[in-house]
Coordinates of all heavy atoms in Angstrom, one line a residue:
M1 N 57.4 43.8 113.7 CA 56.4 43.3 112.7 C 56.3 41.8 112.8 O 57.3 41.1 112.9 CB 56.7 43.7 111.3 CG 55.8 43.4 110.2 SD 54.1 44.1 110.1 CE 54.3 45.8 110.3
K2 N 55.1 41.3 112.8 CA 54.9 39.8 112.9 C 55.3 39.1 111.6 O 55.1 39.7 110.5 CB 53.5 39.5 113.3 CG 53.1 40.0 114.7 CD 51.8 39.5 115.1 CE 51.5 39.9 116.5 NZ 50.3 39.4 117.1
K3 N 55.7 37.9 111.7 CA 56.1 37.2 110.5 C 54.8 36.6 109.9 O 54.0 35.9 110.5 CB 57.0 36.0 110.8 CG 57.5 35.2 109.6 CD 58.5 34.2 109.9 CE 58.9 33.4 108.6 NZ 59.8 32.4 108.9
V4 N 54.6 36.9 108.6 CA 53.4 36.5 107.9 C 53.9 35.6 106.7 O 54.7 36.1 105.9 CB 52.6 37.6 107.4 CG1 51.3 37.1 106.7 CG2 52.2 38.5 108.6
I5 N 53.3 34.4 106.5 CA 53.5 33.6 105.3 C 52.2 33.3 104.7 O 51.2 33.0 105.3 CB 54.2 32.3 105.7 CG1 55.5 32.5 106.4 CG2 54.4 31.4 104.4 CD1 56.1 31.2 107.0
I6 N 52.1 33.5 103.4 CA 50.9 33.2 102.6 C 51.3 32.0 101.6 O 52.2 32.1 100.9 CB 50.4 34.4 101.8 CG1 50.1 35.5 102.7 CG2 49.2 33.9 101.0 CD1 49.7 36.7 102.1
Y7 N 50.5 30.9 101.8 CA 50.6 29.8 100.8 C 49.6 30.1 99.7 O 48.4 30.2 100.1 CB 50.4 28.5 101.5 CG 51.4 28.2 102.6 CD1 51.2 28.7 103.9 CD2 52.6 27.6 102.3 CE1 52.2 28.4 104.9 CE2 53.6 27.4 103.3 CZ 53.3 27.8 104.6 OH 54.3 27.5 105.6
S8 N 50.0 30.1 98.5 CA 49.1 30.6 97.4 C 49.4 29.9 96.1 O 50.4 29.2 96.0 CB 49.2 32.1 97.3 OG 50.4 32.5 96.8
T9 N 48.6 30.2 95.1 CA 48.8 29.8 93.8 C 48.6 31.0 92.9 O 47.8 31.9 93.3 CB 47.9 28.6 93.3 OG1 46.6 29.1 93.3 CG2 48.1 27.4 94.1
P10 N 49.2 31.1 91.7 CA 49.0 32.3 90.8 C 47.6 32.5 90.3 O 47.2 33.6 90.0 CB 49.9 32.0 89.7 CG 50.9 31.0 90.1 CD 50.2 30.2 91.1
T11 N 46.8 31.4 90.2 CA 45.5 31.5 89.7 C 44.4 31.7 90.7 O 43.2 31.7 90.4 CB 45.1 30.2 88.9 OG1 45.3 29.1 89.7 CG2 46.1 30.1 87.7
C12 N 44.7 31.8 92.0 CA 43.7 31.9 93.1 C 43.4 33.3 93.3 O 44.2 34.2 93.8 CB 44.3 31.3 94.3 SG 43.5 31.7 95.9
G13 N 42.0 33.7 93.1 CA 41.6 35.0 93.3 C 41.6 35.5 94.7 O 42.0 36.6 95.0
W14 N 41.3 34.6 95.7 CA 41.3 34.9 97.1 C 42.7 35.1 97.6 O 43.0 35.9 98.5 CB 40.6 33.8 97.9 CG 39.1 33.9 97.7 CD1 38.3 33.0 97.1 CD2 38.2 35.0 98.2 NE1 37.0 33.5 97.1 CE2 36.9 34.7 97.7 CE3 38.5 36.3 98.8 CZ2 35.9 35.6 98.0 CZ3 37.4 37.1 99.0 CH2 36.1 36.8 98.6
C15 N 43.7 34.4 96.9 CA 45.1 34.6 97.3 C 45.5 36.0 96.9 O 46.2 36.8 97.7 CB 46.0 33.6 96.6 SG 45.6 31.9 97.0
H16 N 45.1 36.4 95.7 CA 45.5 37.8 95.2 C 44.8 38.8 96.1 O 45.4 39.8 96.5 CB 45.0 38.0 93.8 CG 45.8 37.3 92.8 ND1 47.1 37.6 92.4 CD2 45.5 36.1 92.1 CE1 47.6 36.7 91.5 NE2 46.6 35.8 91.3
R17 N 43.6 38.6 96.6 CA 42.9 39.6 97.4 C 43.5 39.6 98.8 O 43.7 40.8 99.3 CB 41.4 39.1 97.5 CG 40.6 40.0 98.4 CD 40.4 41.4 97.8 NE 39.8 42.4 98.8 CZ 40.5 43.3 99.3 NH1 41.8 43.6 99.1 NH2 39.9 44.1 100.2
T18 N 44.0 38.5 99.3 CA 44.7 38.5 100.6 C 45.9 39.3 100.5 O 46.2 40.2 101.4 CB 45.0 37.0 101.0 OG1 43.8 36.3 101.1 CG2 45.7 37.0 102.4
K19 N 46.7 39.1 99.5 CA 48.0 39.8 99.4 C 47.8 41.3 99.2 O 48.5 42.1 99.7 CB 48.8 39.2 98.2 CG 49.3 37.8 98.6 CD 50.2 37.2 97.5 CE 49.4 36.4 96.6 NZ 50.2 35.6 95.6
E20 N 46.8 41.6 98.3 CA 46.4 43.0 98.1 C 46.0 43.7 99.4 O 46.4 44.8 99.7 CB 45.2 43.1 97.1 CG 44.7 44.4 96.8 CD 43.5 44.3 95.8 OE1 43.7 43.8 94.7 OE2 42.5 44.8 96.2
Y21 N 45.2 43.0 100.2 CA 44.8 43.6 101.5 C 46.0 43.8 102.5 O 46.1 44.9 103.1 CB 43.8 42.6 102.2 CG 43.3 43.1 103.5 CD1 42.4 44.2 103.6 CD2 43.8 42.5 104.7 CE1 41.9 44.7 104.8 CE2 43.3 43.0 105.9 CZ 42.4 44.1 106.0 OH 42.0 44.6 107.2
L22 N 46.9 42.8 102.5 CA 48.0 43.0 103.4 C 48.9 44.2 102.9 O 49.4 44.9 103.7 CB 48.9 41.7 103.4 CG 48.2 40.6 104.2 CD1 49.0 39.3 104.1 CD2 48.0 40.9 105.7
R23 N 49.1 44.3 101.6 CA 49.9 45.4 101.0 C 49.2 46.8 101.4 O 49.9 47.7 101.8 CB 50.0 45.3 99.5 CG 51.0 44.2 99.1 CD 51.2 44.2 97.6 NE 51.9 43.0 97.2 CZ 51.3 42.0 96.6 NH1 50.0 42.1 96.2 NH2 52.0 40.9 96.2
E24 N 47.8 46.8 101.3 CA 47.1 48.0 101.6 C 47.4 48.4 103.1 O 47.4 49.6 103.4 CB 45.6 47.8 101.4 CG 45.2 47.8 100.0 CD 43.7 47.4 99.9 OE1 43.0 47.2 100.9 OE2 43.3 47.2 98.7
K25 N 47.5 47.4 103.9 CA 47.7 47.7 105.4 C 49.2 47.8 105.7 O 49.5 48.0 106.9 CB 47.1 46.5 106.2 CG 45.6 46.4 106.1 CD 44.9 47.6 106.6 CE 43.4 47.4 106.5 NZ 42.8 48.7 107.0
G26 N 50.1 47.7 104.7 CA 51.5 47.9 105.0 C 52.2 46.7 105.7 O 53.2 46.9 106.4
V27 N 51.6 45.6 105.5 CA 52.1 44.3 106.2 C 53.0 43.6 105.2 O 52.5 43.2 104.1 CB 50.9 43.4 106.6 CG1 51.5 42.1 107.2 CG2 50.0 44.1 107.6
S28 N 54.2 43.3 105.6 CA 55.1 42.5 104.7 C 54.8 41.1 104.9 O 54.4 40.7 106.0 CB 56.6 42.9 105.0 OG 56.9 42.6 106.3
F29 N 55.1 40.3 103.9 CA 54.8 38.8 104.0 C 55.6 38.1 103.0 O 56.2 38.6 102.1 CB 53.3 38.6 103.7 CG 52.8 39.0 102.3 CD1 52.9 38.2 101.2 CD2 52.3 40.3 102.2 CE1 52.5 38.7 100.0 CE2 51.9 40.8 101.0 CZ 52.0 40.0 99.8
E30 N 55.8 36.8 103.3 CA 56.5 35.9 102.4 C 55.4 35.1 101.7 O 54.5 34.5 102.3 CB 57.4 34.9 103.2 CG 58.1 33.9 102.4 CD 58.9 32.9 103.2 OE1 59.0 33.1 104.5 OE2 59.5 32.0 102.6
D31 N 55.5 35.0 100.4 CA 54.6 34.4 99.5 C 55.2 33.1 99.1 O 56.2 33.1 98.4 CB 54.2 35.3 98.3 CG 53.1 34.6 97.5 OD1 52.4 33.7 97.9 OD2 53.0 35.0 96.3
K32 N 54.5 31.9 99.4 CA 55.0 30.6 99.0 C 54.0 30.1 97.9 O 52.9 29.8 98.2 CB 55.2 29.7 100.1 CG 56.3 30.1 101.1 CD 56.6 29.1 102.1 CE 57.7 29.5 103.0 NZ 58.2 28.4 103.8
D33 N 54.5 29.9 96.7 CA 53.7 29.4 95.6 C 53.6 27.9 95.6 O 54.6 27.2 95.2 CB 54.2 29.9 94.3 CG 53.4 29.4 93.1 OD1 52.5 28.5 93.2 OD2 53.7 29.9 91.9
V34 N 52.6 27.3 96.2 CA 52.5 25.9 96.4 C 52.3 25.1 95.0 O 52.4 23.9 95.0 CB 51.4 25.5 97.4 CG1 51.7 26.1 98.7 CG2 50.0 25.9 96.9
S35 N 52.0 25.8 94.0 CA 51.8 25.1 92.7 C 53.2 24.8 92.1 O 53.3 23.9 91.2 CB 51.0 26.0 91.7 OG 51.8 27.2 91.3
R36 N 54.2 25.5 92.5 CA 55.6 25.3 92.0 C 56.6 24.8 93.0 O 57.7 24.3 92.6 CB 56.2 26.7 91.5 CG 55.3 27.2 90.3 CD 56.0 28.5 89.8 NE 55.1 29.1 88.8 CZ 55.0 30.3 88.6 NH1 55.8 31.2 89.3 NH2 54.1 30.8 87.7
D37 N 56.2 24.8 94.3 CA 57.1 24.5 95.3 C 56.5 23.3 96.1 O 55.7 23.6 97.1 CB 57.4 25.7 96.2 CG 58.4 25.4 97.3 OD1 58.7 24.2 97.7 OD2 59.0 26.5 97.8
R38 N 56.9 22.1 95.8 CA 56.3 20.9 96.5 C 56.6 21.0 98.0 O 55.7 20.6 98.8 CB 56.9 19.6 95.9 CG 56.3 18.4 96.5 CD 56.5 17.2 95.6 NE 56.2 15.9 96.3 CZ 55.0 15.5 96.6 NH1 53.9 16.3 96.4 NH2 54.8 14.3 97.2
A39 N 57.8 21.4 98.4 CA 58.1 21.4 99.9 C 57.1 22.4 100.6 O 56.7 22.1 101.7 CB 59.5 21.8 100.1
A40 N 56.9 23.5 99.9 CA 56.0 24.5 100.5 C 54.5 24.0 100.6 O 53.8 24.2 101.6 CB 56.0 25.8 99.7
A41 N 54.1 23.2 99.6 CA 52.8 22.6 99.6 C 52.7 21.6 100.7 O 51.7 21.6 101.4 CB 52.5 21.9 98.3
M42 N 53.7 20.8 100.9 CA 53.7 19.8 102.0 C 53.7 20.5 103.4 O 53.0 20.1 104.3 CB 54.9 18.9 101.8 CG 54.7 18.0 100.6 SD 56.2 17.0 100.3 CE 56.3 15.9 101.7
E43 N 54.5 21.6 103.5 CA 54.5 22.4 104.7 C 53.1 23.0 105.0 O 52.6 23.0 106.1 CB 55.5 23.5 104.5 CG 55.8 24.5 105.6 CD 56.8 25.5 105.2 OE1 58.0 25.2 105.0 OE2 56.4 26.7 105.1
M44 N 52.4 23.5 104.0 CA 51.1 24.1 104.2 C 50.1 23.0 104.7 O 49.3 23.3 105.6 CB 50.6 24.6 102.8 CG 49.2 25.2 102.9 SD 48.5 25.6 101.2 CE 48.1 23.9 100.6
V45 N 50.1 21.8 104.1 CA 49.2 20.8 104.4 C 49.5 20.3 105.9 O 48.6 20.1 106.7 CB 49.3 19.6 103.5 CG1 48.5 18.4 104.0 CG2 48.8 20.0 102.1
K46 N 50.8 20.2 106.2 CA 51.2 19.8 107.6 C 50.7 20.9 108.6 O 50.2 20.5 109.7 CB 52.7 19.7 107.7 CG 53.1 19.2 109.0 CD 54.7 19.0 109.0 CE 55.1 18.5 110.4 NZ 56.5 18.3 110.5
K47 N 50.7 22.1 108.3 CA 50.3 23.2 109.2 C 48.8 23.3 109.3 O 48.3 23.6 110.4 CB 50.9 24.6 108.8 CG 52.3 24.8 109.0 CD 52.7 26.1 108.5 CE 54.2 26.4 108.8 NZ 54.6 27.8 108.4
S48 N 48.1 23.1 108.2 CA 46.7 23.4 108.1 C 45.7 22.2 107.9 O 44.5 22.4 108.1 CB 46.4 24.4 107.0 OG 46.6 23.8 105.7
N49 N 46.2 21.1 107.5 CA 45.4 19.9 107.1 C 44.5 20.3 106.0 O 43.4 19.7 105.9 CB 44.6 19.4 108.3 CG 45.6 18.8 109.4 OD1 46.5 18.1 109.0 ND2 45.3 19.1 110.6
Q50 N 44.9 21.2 105.2 CA 44.1 21.7 104.0 C 44.9 21.7 102.7 O 46.1 21.9 102.8 CB 43.7 23.2 104.2 CG 42.8 23.5 105.5 CD 41.4 22.9 105.3 OE1 40.9 23.1 104.2 NE2 40.9 22.4 106.3
M51 N 44.2 21.4 101.7 CA 44.8 21.4 100.3 C 44.5 22.8 99.6 O 45.2 23.1 98.6 CB 44.3 20.3 99.5 CG 44.7 18.9 100.0 SD 46.5 18.6 99.8 CE 46.6 18.4 98.0
G52 N 43.5 23.4 100.0 CA 43.0 24.7 99.4 C 43.9 25.9 99.8 O 44.5 25.9 100.9
V53 N 43.9 26.9 99.0 CA 44.6 28.1 99.3 C 43.6 29.3 99.3 O 42.5 29.2 98.7 CB 45.7 28.4 98.3 CG1 46.9 27.4 98.5 CG2 45.3 28.3 96.8
P54 N 43.9 30.4 99.8 CA 45.2 30.7 100.6 C 45.1 30.1 102.0 O 44.1 30.0 102.6 CB 45.2 32.2 100.7 CG 43.7 32.6 100.7 CD 43.0 31.6 99.8
V55 N 46.3 29.8 102.5 CA 46.5 29.5 103.9 C 47.5 30.5 104.4 O 48.5 30.8 103.8 CB 47.1 28.1 104.1 CG1 47.5 27.9 105.5 CG2 46.1 27.0 103.7
I56 N 47.1 31.2 105.5 CA 47.9 32.3 106.0 C 48.5 31.9 107.4 O 47.7 31.4 108.2 CB 47.0 33.6 106.2 CG1 46.3 33.9 104.9 CG2 47.9 34.7 106.7 CD1 45.1 34.7 105.0
D57 N 49.7 32.0 107.5 CA 50.4 31.7 108.8 C 51.0 33.0 109.4 O 51.8 33.7 108.8 CB 51.6 30.8 108.5 CG 52.4 30.4 109.8 OD1 52.3 31.0 110.8 OD2 53.1 29.4 109.7
I58 N 50.4 33.4 110.5 CA 50.8 34.6 111.2 C 51.3 34.2 112.5 O 50.6 33.8 113.5 CB 49.6 35.6 111.4 CG1 49.0 36.0 110.0 CG2 50.1 36.8 112.1 CD1 47.8 36.9 110.1
E59 N 52.7 34.2 112.6 CA 53.3 33.8 113.8 C 52.9 32.5 114.4 O 52.7 32.3 115.6 CB 53.2 34.9 114.9 CG 53.9 36.2 114.6 CD 55.4 36.2 114.8 OE1 55.9 35.5 115.7 OE2 56.0 36.8 114.0
G60 N 52.6 31.5 113.5 CA 52.2 30.2 113.8 C 50.7 30.0 114.0 O 50.2 28.8 114.1
S61 N 49.9 31.1 113.9 CA 48.5 30.9 113.9 C 48.0 30.8 112.5 O 48.5 31.6 111.6 CB 47.8 32.2 114.6 OG 48.1 32.3 115.9
I62 N 47.2 29.8 112.2 CA 46.8 29.5 110.8 C 45.4 29.9 110.5 O 44.5 29.7 111.3 CB 46.9 27.9 110.6 CG1 48.3 27.4 110.9 CG2 46.5 27.6 109.2 CD1 49.5 28.1 110.1
L63 N 45.3 30.6 109.4 CA 43.9 31.1 108.9 C 43.8 30.4 107.5 O 44.7 30.3 106.7 CB 43.9 32.6 108.7 CG 44.1 33.4 110.0 CD1 44.2 34.9 109.6 CD2 42.9 33.2 110.9
I64 N 42.6 29.9 107.3 CA 42.2 29.3 106.0 C 41.4 30.2 105.2 O 40.3 30.7 105.7 CB 41.4 28.0 106.2 CG1 42.1 27.0 107.3 CG2 41.2 27.3 104.9 CD1 43.5 26.6 106.8
G65 N 41.8 30.6 104.0 CA 41.0 31.5 103.1 C 41.3 32.9 103.5 O 42.1 33.2 104.5
F66 N 40.6 33.8 102.8 CA 40.8 35.3 103.1 C 39.9 35.6 104.3 O 38.6 35.8 104.1 CB 40.4 36.1 101.9 CG 40.5 37.6 102.1 CD1 41.6 38.2 102.7 CD2 39.4 38.4 101.8 CE1 41.6 39.5 102.9 CE2 39.4 39.7 102.1 CZ 40.5 40.3 102.6
D67 N 40.5 35.7 105.5 CA 39.7 35.9 106.7 C 40.2 37.3 107.2 O 41.1 37.4 108.0 CB 40.0 34.8 107.7 CG 39.3 35.0 109.1 OD1 38.7 36.1 109.3 OD2 39.4 34.1 109.9
Q68 N 39.5 38.4 106.7 CA 39.9 39.7 107.1 C 39.9 40.0 108.5 O 40.8 40.6 109.1 CB 39.0 40.8 106.3 CG 39.5 42.2 106.5 CD 38.7 43.1 105.6 OE1 38.3 42.8 104.5 NE2 38.6 44.4 106.0
G69 N 38.8 39.6 109.2 CA 38.7 39.7 110.6 C 39.8 39.0 111.4 O 40.4 39.5 112.3
G70 N 40.1 37.8 111.0 CA 41.2 37.0 111.6 C 42.5 37.6 111.4 O 43.3 37.7 112.3
I71 N 42.7 38.1 110.2 CA 44.0 38.8 109.9 C 44.1 40.0 110.8 O 45.2 40.3 111.4 CB 44.1 39.2 108.4 CG1 44.2 38.0 107.5 CG2 45.3 40.2 108.2 CD1 44.0 38.3 106.1
N72 N 43.1 40.8 110.9 CA 43.2 42.1 111.7 C 43.4 41.7 113.1 O 44.2 42.4 113.8 CB 41.8 42.8 111.5 CG 41.7 43.5 110.2 OD1 42.6 43.5 109.4 ND2 40.4 43.9 109.9
K73 N 42.7 40.7 113.7 CA 42.9 40.3 115.0 C 44.3 39.9 115.3 O 44.9 40.3 116.3 CB 41.9 39.2 115.4 CG 41.9 38.8 116.8 CD 40.9 37.7 117.1 CE 41.0 37.3 118.6 NZ 40.1 36.1 118.8
L74 N 44.8 39.0 114.5 CA 46.2 38.4 114.7 C 47.3 39.5 114.5 O 48.3 39.4 115.2 CB 46.5 37.3 113.8 CG 45.7 36.0 114.2 CD1 45.8 34.9 113.1 CD2 46.1 35.4 115.5
L75 N 47.0 40.5 113.7 CA 48.0 41.5 113.4 C 47.8 42.8 114.3 O 48.6 43.7 114.2 CB 48.1 41.9 112.0 CG 48.6 40.8 111.0 CD1 48.5 41.3 109.6 CD2 50.0 40.5 111.4
G76 N 46.7 42.8 115.0 CA 46.4 44.0 115.8 C 46.0 45.2 115.0 O 46.3 46.3 115.3
L77 N 45.3 45.0 113.9 CA 44.9 46.1 113.0 C 43.6 46.7 113.4 O 42.8 46.0 113.9 CB 44.9 45.6 111.5 CG 46.2 45.1 111.0 CD1 46.0 44.6 109.5 CD2 47.3 46.1 111.0

């Protein structure tokens, strides 16, 4: 299984949708709450050059926002 990290916040609707979609597909992921974890927030910005969430890291490939097609492609779904 590929390593998946989601940078998110508790109030982000698209973050919830992304995590829900991954759970539906049986994909495990690490969730980093950037609203509470400054190091994770800095890591997210360094990887994506973005302040908005969700940012999805799939084996080093970065997706911005809930990109179902991109997720499927990178995970081979």
Side-chain angles (χ1 to χ4, degrees):
M1 182 68 46
K2 294 187 177 184
K3 183 176 180 181
V4 179
I5 302 170
I6 300 175
Y7 298 91
S8 67
T9 64
T11 58
C12 166
W14 287 112
C15 299
H16 289 288
R17 180 67 191 109
T18 301
K19 292 182 267 189
E20 180 181 298
Y21 180 73
L22 290 172
R23 286 185 194 107
E24 288 170 3
K25 297 296 183 183
V27 176
S28 61
F29 57 88
E30 179 181 356
D31 183 19
K32 294 192 177 187
D33 180 353
V34 298
S35 71
R36 296 184 190 149
D37 184 342
R38 181 162 167 70
M42 293 172 65
E43 180 181 293
M44 176 190 79
V45 171
K46 184 176 180 182
K47 287 181 179 183
S48 68
N49 294 317
Q50 298 287 320
M51 294 289 289
V53 289
V55 170
I56 308 156
D57 179 342
I58 301 174
E59 293 286 324
S61 294
I62 304 300
L63 298 171
I64 309 299
F66 175 55
D67 179 355
Q68 186 173 331
I71 292 169
N72 290 348
K73 181 178 178 186
L74 289 173
L75 292 176
L77 299 177

